[in-house]
Amino acid sequence: MNTALLLHLIVLLPLGAAIAILLGSPARKTALGASIAALALTIISVLAYQGTAGGFQFQSHVDVVAEWDLKYFLGADGLSLAMVLLATLVTVAAVWVTPKMEKSENAFYACLLLIAAGAIGAFLSLDLFFFYAFHELALIPTFILIGVWGSGEKQQAAWRITIYLAIGSIILLAGLIGVYLAVPVAQRTFDIPQLQALAKTSAFLPAKWIFPTLLVGFGVLVSLFPFHSWAPKAYASAPAPAAMLHAGVLKKFGLYGMLRIALPMFPLGVQQYDYIILILLIGNILFVGLATIAQKQLDTTLGYSSVMHMGYIYLGIVSMNLTGINGAALLMFAHGLSIAALFAMSGMIRERTGTLEFSDLGGLGKRAPVLMFCFGLATFASIGLPGFGNFASETMVFFGAFSGGFESNAFQTGAFNFHQIATIVGLWGVVISAVYMLRAYRKIFMGDLVSRWAGISDIRPLYKFPLVLLIGALLVCGLYPQGFLHLVGPTLSHLLP
């Protein structure tokens, strides 16, 4: 098969399936078929990718506006393939765990597939315009899923996420326009590989406002502190499959943008603002971490937990060394899998009990031992126990951050620099996450069984598959992280200045 065609099919399969479902195709069968086919093609692409050569491969494009060098341009390197693999894995799991819908089933599945298509398209786009446009495509169905099929204060949550992410997207758009305008007129292009090459030749015109604009734009989309308050409520109100896709996949777009656009094109901006980024990421880890401990129900605990872990990934990115950003990339992948598994199981618990309040639950392990076992594995992954991808990635992030940064020489003179202080402070996040996740596990599954849950059932056999898929992938990249690093390492080494 033409390898360039593979990438187009991976984007078009969920998009075409969403349109077919809206036109009347059987919703669940079509969505499952398209998502499994996209996953299979992604695995073929990963196997066909020449990891040692690195760089963008499978490139193909169609001109849209030739005068502006604007084109529908797809291609993949190790980082984008890793993110697409994450997106397709989580999409299969999200579609699979979707329960029988009481209303508008076709629209629900179409929205899920549009989120997947938007995220995959953004990860594979090598044109700045389509990189942004695909992400916007994924945001719209997210708002609809929360507002229509959500729970609790769903309308308020939908409006909050709409306002926050719309503002973040506008700020990001201004930053991306700045990237386009920062190049001399004769060389202006939307072509990302060309822009990265121009950045290495110092061809960019001076514009100090571009990096902070990108940082705020991507930061709002990632829920970087203090732009985080939209995320926990949105995930708590979202139906489980929507929370899986947004927290597990779409939220990684901002981090991917930092690695794809901000770091390789504006390394001096990272150096100039790294103190501010370190302060903000400590806010993610400590402030949001402590707020997570205060939560009284599972969905908001997972929402805050997801925000907290973004601080670790930023810590790896600003380490500015290969160990740190390798760890950040692996943590993006591992966190996406673990939080998707946890949201999937929170949906199963809500479906069986109608509540996620810790005070209402207890002893469910006696009636649902398989659910308790799978939730325990995902919990261990989330808090970074050895054997899971989260442990390998967090270890690399902390080692990279402690030895990296722009002032690492200060440590050699006997004094800790700010990167090392931030790393030491960030390590407390591991303790905090263990406290709130183990407390959640104990309150839901341990102790005496609450009498009204005596009749609940365990996971049905068919619904075990998505959990095996997500947790199995976590174990593979935890026991053999070298396989993941062979894929992304050569790519990330080219992104460093």
Side-chain angles (χ1 to χ4, degrees), residues 180-209:
Y180 178 78
L181 297 177
V183 178
V185 175
Q187 297 173 291
R188 278 180 185 164
T189 177
F190 290 94
D191 188 309
I192 292 175
Q194 280 191 45
L195 288 167
Q196 289 181 349
L198 287 169
K200 287 185 183 295
T201 62
S202 304
F204 280 16
L205 301 171
K208 294 182 179 178
W209 60 273

Side-chain angles (χ1 to χ4, degrees), residues 321-333:
N321 59 47
L322 192 55
T323 303
I325 62 171
N326 266 336
L330 180 54
L331 187 52
M332 288 163 64
F333 187 77

Side-chain angles (χ1 to χ4, degrees), residues 86-146:
L86 168 67
T88 49
L89 279 167
V90 174
T91 301
V92 171
V95 170
W96 202 296
V97 302
T98 298
K100 185 173 178 57
M101 307 299 300
E102 295 179 358
K103 59 179 180 181
S104 307
E105 183 181 55
N106 285 41
F108 186 92
Y109 280 101
C111 285
L112 287 184
L113 292 175
L114 286 174
I115 295 176
I120 293 169
F123 293 142
L124 292 177
S125 287
L126 297 184
D127 182 280
L128 214 52
F129 174 81
F130 283 96
F131 167 79
Y132 178 82
F134 270 116
H135 177 256
E136 296 306 297
L137 170 69
L139 283 185
I140 297 169
T142 306
F143 307 145
I144 297 171
L145 283 169
I146 294 173

Side-chain angles (χ1 to χ4, degrees), residues 29-110:
K29 288 181 180 177
T30 306
L32 266 179
S35 56
I36 291 172
L39 174 60
L41 293 177
T42 302
I43 292 172
I44 293 172
S45 302
V46 170
L47 296 175
Y49 182 75
Q50 301 296 319
T52 51
F56 294 110
Q57 300 175 20
F58 318 142
Q59 297 181 41
S60 66
H61 70 269
V62 177
D63 287 333
V64 178
V65 183
E67 300 83 52
W68 297 350
D69 198 22
L70 174 64
K71 49 188 178 287
Y72 175 63
F73 185 15
L74 298 187
D77 61 6
L79 178 63
S80 50
L81 280 177
M83 291 299 100
V84 173
L85 182 59
L86 168 67
T88 49
L89 279 167
V90 174
T91 301
V92 171
V95 170
W96 202 296
V97 302
T98 298
K100 185 173 178 57
M101 307 299 300
E102 295 179 358
K103 59 179 180 181
S104 307
E105 183 181 55
N106 285 41
F108 186 92
Y109 280 101

